[in-house]
Amino acid sequence: MKRSATLFLMTILPLCAATFASAAEPVQRLQRATGLWKVTPATSPFSWEICVDQQYDRLIEDDLWTDFEQECQIASQNRQGDSYHFQSSCPGAMLAGSFKGDLAKGYTLIADTTMELNGKTEVQRTELTGVFLGACPAGLAPGAKKMRGGMVMKSLYIDRQQPR
């Protein structure tokens, strides 16, 4: 009996660990479908298009907080249907966000960044909507952003390692 209990635990524990890992992953690594996405901030006229390669995409890192995975620690997160909510601690700021939508069609991402500025607590709200446009056009590399005026920014994926 002792041996079968040990075998059972050896079988079930890795499955539990995988479940917890995948439960912790969605907010940090929201990954859009491969193709061309148009991202529009609610408070700015400067939208952009990004050619997404799903295996390298990091929506929060690519469109909200550069180096999010290296700099920020997720304090809490939860998923309900097509919505994710998270709170994280980043250098000099707290970042709380909510995502709603379909990573193959369209989404809305709202984030509040709370920081101390000149002795006062300031909150900066960012709201982005993303819409899937189809296949990436020829000449736009995966990870590259094409800004509204036509300027193309180099690929965000150059130094990104393949996901675990």
Side-chain angles (χ1 to χ4, degrees), residues 19 27 30 75 78 80 82 88 91 93 109 115 121-122:
T19 300
V27 171
L30 290 171
N78 65 55
Q80 296 173 339
D82 67 350
S88 59
L109 177 64
M115 66 199 107
T121 301
E122 299 286 334

Side-chain angles (χ1 to χ4, degrees), residues 22-45:
S22 64
E25 206 171 52
V27 171
Q28 189 168 1
R29 293 198 172 155
L30 290 171
Q31 294 174 289
R32 296 167 280 201
T34 295
L36 187 64
W37 285 82
K38 181 174 184 175
V39 179
T40 306
T43 58
S44 168

Side-chain angles (χ1 to χ4, degrees), residues 115-137:
M115 66 199 107
E116 292 292 321
L117 191 62
N118 297 325
K120 294 170 66 178
T121 301
E122 299 286 334
V123 178
Q124 177 185 351
R125 173 160 279 203
T126 304
E127 185 172 338
L128 305 171
T129 57
V131 177
F132 183 72
L133 300 178
C136 293

